[in-house]
Amino acid sequence: MFLIAACGYSYFLYLAAVFTTIQQADAMKYIPFGGLLLLGLMFLHSCGSSAFEETKRKAEQGDADAQCQLAIMYREGDGTTQDYGKAREWYEKSAAQGNADAQYDLGYMYDEGISVPTDKEKAREWYEKSAAQGDVNALNNLGLMYLRGEGVEQDFERGHGYLSQSAEQGDAAAQFNLGLMYNNGAGVDQDFAKAREWYEKSAAQGHAGAQNNLGLLYWSGEGVEVNHRLAVQWFGKAAEQGEVNAQCMLGAAYLLGDGVEQDPERGYELLRASAEEDVPLAQYYLGVMYENGDVVEQDDEQSRLWYARSAERGNERAQLELGRIYLEGRGVPRDVEEGRKWVRLAMDNGNEEAKTYWEEKGL
């Protein structure tokens, strides 16, 4: 770390000298600025290589922290060519000496199948070793494994326990996951107030998922009083980080002027971005917009395409609309069987309007 800092400091001094020289020059055309800058970049690169070599030297001498750092450098391609295989080898050496960070990262490699075949049991074993030392990331991931029954028999109580240990140490991901448990009543009694508490802690640390879900609570009034303006604020924070579900909700709010000054164009932009990321609700809204010619030109084909993408991902309102399109032959040849299929799916997914439509049409 000191070597990197020293090199960075020296590099900035070097650049300062370059610019000073240029400012003092009588004829700038004689100053090879590009060459000087290239030399500076080469100098900084050599510092990175030196840091790598120094870390490698310590790692080869058995320093567990250096071994873990070397693994990270191979993983990130920092000062060397990226090499996940070598990263795993050095993680293994460090983890064997009890380094909690290496144990977690090694568990993650097995969890995600990075340079090794996916092996949930090995992932769990390494997470357990790291979690035993209090590593919040390992505690969180181990909790999720117990909730999902991955590499271990499903056990909501143990999953909740591990998540709680991590969340109480301030881990934003674990706080979000605990909020989800209470929000959905997964392994615990459903409790929107507790969900809100954990979402708030996580959202305050910038967790986009928690910000979005907190917005949803305020939007629907679950565990809190309905407050669409506050909901929009949370959707905005999450959307700025690229949270696609928040982009959908924020887009709908702008489209309708609900909780924010109406701006249909901005609403369309957000909904389009979300729909392109396969958020079913956003795709449904685009279908409606193209069907009615709201903000965009009316286009039956575009409407059908967006309804279809949404319907295929389970949105029951889109399934109903797609069924109507085929039954009524709007922009497509009339196809009773295809129409019946989509209306039936909407009914199966609990859409009451689909049931009424089915009965009225005698389907």
Side-chain angles (χ1 to χ4, degrees), residues 281-300:
L281 182 58
Q283 293 169 336
Y284 166 76
Y285 276 124
L286 281 190
V288 173
M289 294 177 79
Y290 278 107
E291 180 181 354
N292 298 330
D294 294 332
V295 185
V296 294
E297 260 188 62
Q298 198 280 335
D299 189 324
D300 285 335

Side-chain angles (χ1 to χ4, degrees), residues 216-279:
L216 289 173
L217 291 181
Y218 279 107
W219 189 268
S220 60
E222 293 175 322
V224 292
E225 288 187 14
V226 171
N227 188 330
H228 285 190
R229 287 196 175 279
L230 189 53
V232 165
Q233 290 176 24
W234 284 114
F235 291 146
K237 291 178 185 292
E240 285 174 2
Q241 298 188 64
E243 215 291 334
V244 295
N245 295 294
Q247 288 173 344
C248 174
M249 292 302 298
L250 188 61
Y254 274 111
L255 186 66
L256 302 172
D258 192 349
V260 67
E261 186 176 346
Q262 190 172 34
D263 187 339
E265 288 77 16
R266 178 63 176 148
Y268 172 76
E269 290 173 4
L270 287 161
L271 287 169
R272 181 84 190 206
S274 180
E276 294 288 1
E277 295 297 325
D278 284 333
V279 174

Side-chain angles (χ1 to χ4, degrees), residues 124 128 139-163 181 186-188:
R124 174 183 57 79
E128 284 178 341
L139 285 163
N140 175 66
N141 286 18
L142 192 56
L144 291 177
M145 294 189 88
Y146 274 102
L147 292 184
R148 297 167 181 165
E150 294 179 342
V152 66
E153 187 175 343
Q154 191 174 47
D155 188 329
F156 285 105
E157 186 175 349
R158 292 190 72 176
H160 181 272
Y162 282 121
L163 289 178
M181 288 189 75
V188 293

Side-chain angles (χ1 to χ4, degrees), residues 15-161:
L15 284 183
V18 169
F19 286 113
T20 300
T21 302
I22 290 174
Q23 290 170 351
Q24 292 175 348
D26 292 327
M28 285 187 66
K29 66 180 180 180
Y30 293 115
I31 304 297
F33 176 71
L36 289 170
L37 188 58
L38 178 60
L39 285 173
L41 292 172
M42 290 173 65
F43 175 74
L44 187 58
H45 176 72
S46 70
C47 287
S49 298
S50 298
F52 172 79
E53 292 301 329
E54 177 64 13
T55 303
K56 187 177 181 183
R57 182 185 66 79
K58 290 181 178 178
E60 289 172 342
Q61 291 176 354
D63 185 308
D65 290 338
Q67 289 170 342
C68 183
Q69 183 59 39
L70 185 61
I72 293 170
M73 296 178 89
Y74 273 118
R75 185 190 71 198
E76 302 296 328
D78 182 7
T80 186
T81 303
Q82 189 177 53
D83 189 326
Y84 287 115
K86 286 185 177 179
R88 177 176 54 80
E89 290 174 11
W90 285 107
Y91 275 138
E92 286 175 343
K93 294 178 187 293
S94 181
Q97 294 195 67
N99 184 287
D101 291 333
Q103 291 168 340
Y104 166 75
D105 284 349
L106 190 55
Y108 186 80
M109 293 186 82
Y110 279 109
D111 200 353
E112 297 297 321
I114 301 172
S115 90
V116 293
T118 299
D119 189 328
K120 298 295 184 180
E121 289 188 5
K122 281 190 177 179
R124 174 183 57 79
E125 290 171 5
W126 285 113
Y127 285 153
E128 284 178 341
K129 292 178 186 292
S130 182
Q133 299 188 63
D135 185 277
V136 293
N137 296 308
L139 285 163
N140 175 66
N141 286 18
L142 192 56
L144 291 177
M145 294 189 88
Y146 274 102
L147 292 184
R148 297 167 181 165
E150 294 179 342
V152 66
E153 187 175 343
Q154 191 174 47
D155 188 329
F156 285 105
E157 186 175 349
R158 292 190 72 176
H160 181 272

